[in-house]
């Protein structure tokens, strides 16, 4: 009743004061899309790309490049779920502006600070563009699929066998703090990117890589499979990744969960992947919901969430939606949690002078005084998941996907260091993605090359 009264009150205020719009969320597409339109407007209050002198594809400080990648992923999903072209040109400009000279999402403005997790998060967004048939880039630029393959190739080329028996480091470049840390999110992104490329292209070599990455995450102890599976944060290479930081975040669980759902779907409902998915979903639902409402358990109760952590629920929500669609046996568990969280999140979006600024603590069902890009992103993502079953599942190349690929993309990047300038790719090679990827995999497994920087 409190939520209903709040919504009715804001409808009245919005009538009397048109600038004070309300989040009037009901269980229908028009209401959901109207609510998310207001929330996206609040997100773009922080966007630099439409301001004089601002950088296209970036949000203002203190928000980082990776958060832009997540934000655009949420907006791209909204474009697809609500079939609303309002921000289509903005999205196209932003995604293209941040591709980098090799179209692998290592842009000039990030070449000294970018981490594997940063590139990986953008990779998930570009795969959204692939699987949702977002309009292809023009002016001779590669297709979204080719860019995704470039991201995969450059990331997997950094697989490091010199410590912890494998895995990606947090950072790409030696001079950045955290280079000695192998974190879950970087490897989880690689796992999911490989799973999605395998599902989309039908190339099982990508699925083999995904399985290798997942097995490493389990083997090193970052993922613990049980009835309520754990997904921990990472560890340092100095102790061979044995002293694990046992903190659990929604985005780690979410990206692993999404990768498992893609693997389950790509393997036609494999019982092995179903068991793994069930375990991680059990942990996700146990650790990150109170009274069916999502929360960031490691920091939210203590009011210590920083600007990064206040964004985590956004990608978690998206991955829960993908999981419900790609692994239908999970929908009875996931969908009620998403609905309860969406209604609570809408209740939190009653702050600010505009009357629809979203908060962090959804349990309160009214704004808690927190505001920012992360709060807007998270509310957007969880609310639009209410539409996830009303639109087609992520496309594959064999059922409507149209994006153009290039299996050799990114192999000549200065941050790849695999087959650099030594392999000429013909049209036939591009068509046979399995051949190129198998060559890359064999060289990496053999230890012929790893990251120079």
């Amino acid at each position: 009743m409190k939520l209903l009264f709040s919504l009715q009150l804001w409808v009245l205020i919005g009538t009397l004061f048109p600038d004070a719009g309300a989040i009037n969320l009901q269980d229908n597409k028009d209401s959901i899309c109207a609510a998310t339109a207001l929330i996206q407007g609040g997100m773009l209050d922080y966007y630099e790309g439409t301001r004089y002198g601002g950088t296209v594809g970036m949000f203002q400080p203190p928000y980082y490049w990776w958060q832009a990648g997540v934000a655009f992923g949420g907006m791209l999903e909204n474009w697809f779920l609500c079939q609303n072209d309002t921000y289509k040109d903005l999205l196209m400009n932003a995604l293209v502006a941040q591709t980098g000279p090799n179209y692998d999402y290592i842009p000039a403005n990030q070449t000294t600070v970018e981490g594997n997790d940063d590139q990986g998060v953008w990779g998930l967004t570009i795969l959204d563009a692939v699987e949702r048939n977002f309009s292809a880039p023009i002016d001779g630029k590669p297709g979204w699929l080719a860019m995704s393959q470039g991201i995969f190739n450059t990331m997997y080329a950094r697989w490091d066998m010199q410590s912890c028996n494998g895995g990606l480091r947090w950072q790409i470049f030696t001079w950045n703090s955290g280079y000695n840390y192998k974190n879950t999110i970087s490897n989880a992104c690689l796992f999911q990117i490989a799973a999605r490329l395998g599902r989309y292209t039908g190339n099982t070599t990508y699925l083999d890589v995904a399985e290798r990455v997942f097995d490493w995450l389990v083997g090193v102890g970052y993922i613990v499979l049980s009835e309520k599976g754990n997904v921990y944060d990472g560890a340092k290479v100095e102790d061979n990744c044995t002293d694990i930081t046992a903190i659990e975040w929604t985005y780690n669980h979410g990206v692993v969960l999404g990768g498992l759902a893609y693997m389950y779907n790509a393997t036609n409902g494999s019982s092995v992947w179903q068991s793994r998915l069930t375990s991680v979903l059990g942990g996700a639902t146990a650790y990150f919901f109170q009274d069916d409402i999502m929360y960031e358990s490691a920091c939210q109760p203590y009011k210590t969430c920083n600007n990064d952590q206040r964004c985590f629920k956004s990608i978690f929500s998206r991955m829960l939606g993908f999981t419900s669609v790609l692994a239908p046996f999970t929908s009875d568990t996931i969908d009620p949690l998403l609905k309860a969280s969406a209604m609570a999140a809408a209740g939190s979006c009653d702050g600010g002078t505009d009357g629809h600024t979203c908060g962090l603590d959804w349990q309160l069902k009214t704004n808690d005084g927190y505001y920012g890009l992360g709060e807007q992103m998270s509310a957007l993502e969880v609310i639009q998941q209410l539409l996830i079953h009303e639109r087609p599942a992520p496309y594959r190349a064999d059922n409507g996907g149209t994006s153009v690929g290039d299996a050799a993309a990114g192999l000549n990047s200065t941050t790849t260091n695999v087959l650099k300038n030594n392999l000429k790719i013909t049209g036939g090679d591009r068509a046979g993605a399995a051949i190129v990827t198998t060559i890359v995999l064999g060289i990496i497994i053999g230890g012929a090359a790893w990251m120079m920087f």
Side-chain angles (χ1 to χ4, degrees):
M1 289 298 294
K2 179 180 178 182
L3 174 60
L4 180 59
F5 176 76
S6 175
L7 295 176
Q8 291 172 335
L9 175 62
W10 279 110
V11 169
L12 175 61
I13 293 174
T15 302
L16 298 175
F17 305 101
D19 290 337
I23 299 296
N24 184 14
L25 184 60
Q26 300 173 8
D27 195 10
N28 61 70
K29 182 178 179 181
D30 288 345
S31 172
I32 293 164
C33 291
T36 56
L38 289 174
I39 293 169
Q40 285 184 98
M43 287 172 59
L44 293 175
D45 288 343
Y46 303 95
Y47 184 53
E48 283 193 352
T50 52
R51 299 178 183 177
Y52 180 77
T55 303
V56 176
M58 291 288 290
F59 287 80
Q60 69 184 39
Y63 302 110
Y64 296 111
W65 185 67
W66 79 269
Q67 291 163 307
V70 177
F72 296 132
M75 293 180 69
L76 197 153
E77 278 294 294
N78 190 267
W79 164 83
F80 180 80
L81 294 172
C82 287
Q83 298 168 275
N84 183 349
D85 287 343
T86 300
Y87 299 118
K88 184 178 179 181
D89 290 343
L90 183 150
L91 281 169
M92 176 66 74
N93 292 336
L95 297 183
V96 169
Q98 296 299 318
T99 57
N102 295 308
Y103 300 103
D104 55 7
Y105 285 84
I106 305 178
N109 63 324
Q110 298 297 314
T111 49
T112 61
V113 296
E114 184 170 344
N116 280 305
D117 54 345
D118 303 322
Q119 187 185 21
V121 165
W122 275 87
L124 302 182
T125 288
I126 303 310
L127 277 161
D128 288 349
V130 173
E131 296 167 346
R132 297 311 201 182
N133 278 348
F134 191 62
S135 299
I138 59 173
D139 298 330
K141 294 178 176 62
W144 302 121
L145 177 57
M147 294 186 196
S148 301
Q149 290 168 310
I151 293 169
F152 168 81
N153 285 334
T154 54
M155 288 185 70
Y156 192 44
R158 302 183 203 115
W159 187 262
D160 170 27
M161 294 298 297
Q162 293 197 359
S163 61
C164 310
N165 197 34
L168 287 179
R169 293 172 181 259
W170 176 15
Q171 299 297 334
I172 296 173
F173 305 108
T174 57
W175 54 77
N176 284 329
S177 176
Y179 181 73
N180 65 335
Y181 192 71
K182 290 191 174 181
N183 61 346
T184 293
I185 189 60
S186 296
N187 290 280
C189 285
L190 178 60
F191 165 56
Q192 188 178 134
I193 289 167
R196 292 171 77 164
L197 285 172
R199 176 184 177 273
Y200 186 87
T201 65
N203 179 352
T204 58
T205 304
Y206 288 119
L207 301 183
D208 293 341
V209 173
E211 184 156 20
R212 183 188 189 199
V213 178
F214 184 80
D215 287 347
W216 180 83
L217 285 163
V218 173
V220 80
Y222 291 5
I223 295 175
V224 179
L225 296 175
S226 63
E227 183 180 355
K228 297 178 182 178
N230 303 101
V231 181
Y232 298 129
D233 191 70
K236 293 181 179 180
V237 301
E238 288 88 346
D239 52 27
N240 205 36
C241 297
T242 57
D243 186 13
I244 295 172
T245 303
I247 299 175
E248 302 198 62
W249 301 105
T250 55
Y251 81 143
N252 281 330
H253 271 263
V255 176
V256 170
L257 186 71
L260 289 167
Y262 275 94
M263 289 298 289
Y264 170 84
N265 191 274
T267 56
N268 299 312
S270 157
S271 60
V272 172
W273 291 106
Q274 179 172 341
S275 175
R276 294 166 173 173
L277 173 56
T278 300
S279 170
V280 174
L281 178 60
T285 56
Y287 307 140
F288 303 117
F289 291 87
Q290 283 187 338
D291 299 325
D292 292 344
I293 298 171
M294 189 186 302
Y295 79 119
E296 195 64 59
S297 58
C299 64
Q300 191 175 305
Y302 317 108
K303 300 187 184 300
T304 58
C305 298
N306 63 27
N307 279 322
D308 282 345
Q309 295 151 9
R310 285 154 61 183
C311 297
F312 288 172
K313 289 186 293 188
S314 60
I315 200 165
F316 183 53
S317 298
R318 192 191 317 163
M319 294 306 158
L320 285 169
F322 282 156
T323 300
S324 181
V325 168
L326 295 169
F329 76 90
T330 68
S331 62
D332 286 346
T333 298
I334 291 173
D335 292 357
L337 297 175
L338 286 174
K339 185 171 183 178
S341 298
M343 296 302 292
S348 84
C349 296
D350 64 356
T353 57
D354 59 8
H356 51 257
T357 294
C358 303
L360 177 65
D361 187 346
W362 297 342
Q363 275 76 12
L364 298 178
K365 300 177 184 175
T366 187
N367 190 280
D368 58 356
Y370 282 85
Y371 61 92
L373 179 61
E375 286 78 3
Q376 297 297 122
M377 289 164 53
S378 297
L380 169 70
E381 294 266 25
V382 74
I383 290 171
Q384 66 193 22
Q385 297 313 311
L386 299 179
L387 301 174
I388 198 71
H389 297 291
E390 296 189 18
R391 298 283 287 137
Y395 293 118
R396 305 185 307 268
D398 63 1
N399 75 347
T402 59
S403 191
V404 177
D406 178 1
L411 291 180
N412 290 327
S413 168
T414 56
T415 59
T416 300
N417 303 311
V418 173
L419 302 181
K420 184 178 178 182
N421 299 320
N422 292 329
L423 183 63
K424 295 184 183 294
I425 304 300
T426 67
D429 291 324
R430 290 188 176 92
I435 298 172
V436 177
T437 308
T438 302
I439 292 171
V440 175
L441 176 59
I443 288 178
I444 295 168
I445 292 175
W450 76 289
M451 185 178 153
M452 292 170 56
F453 298 100

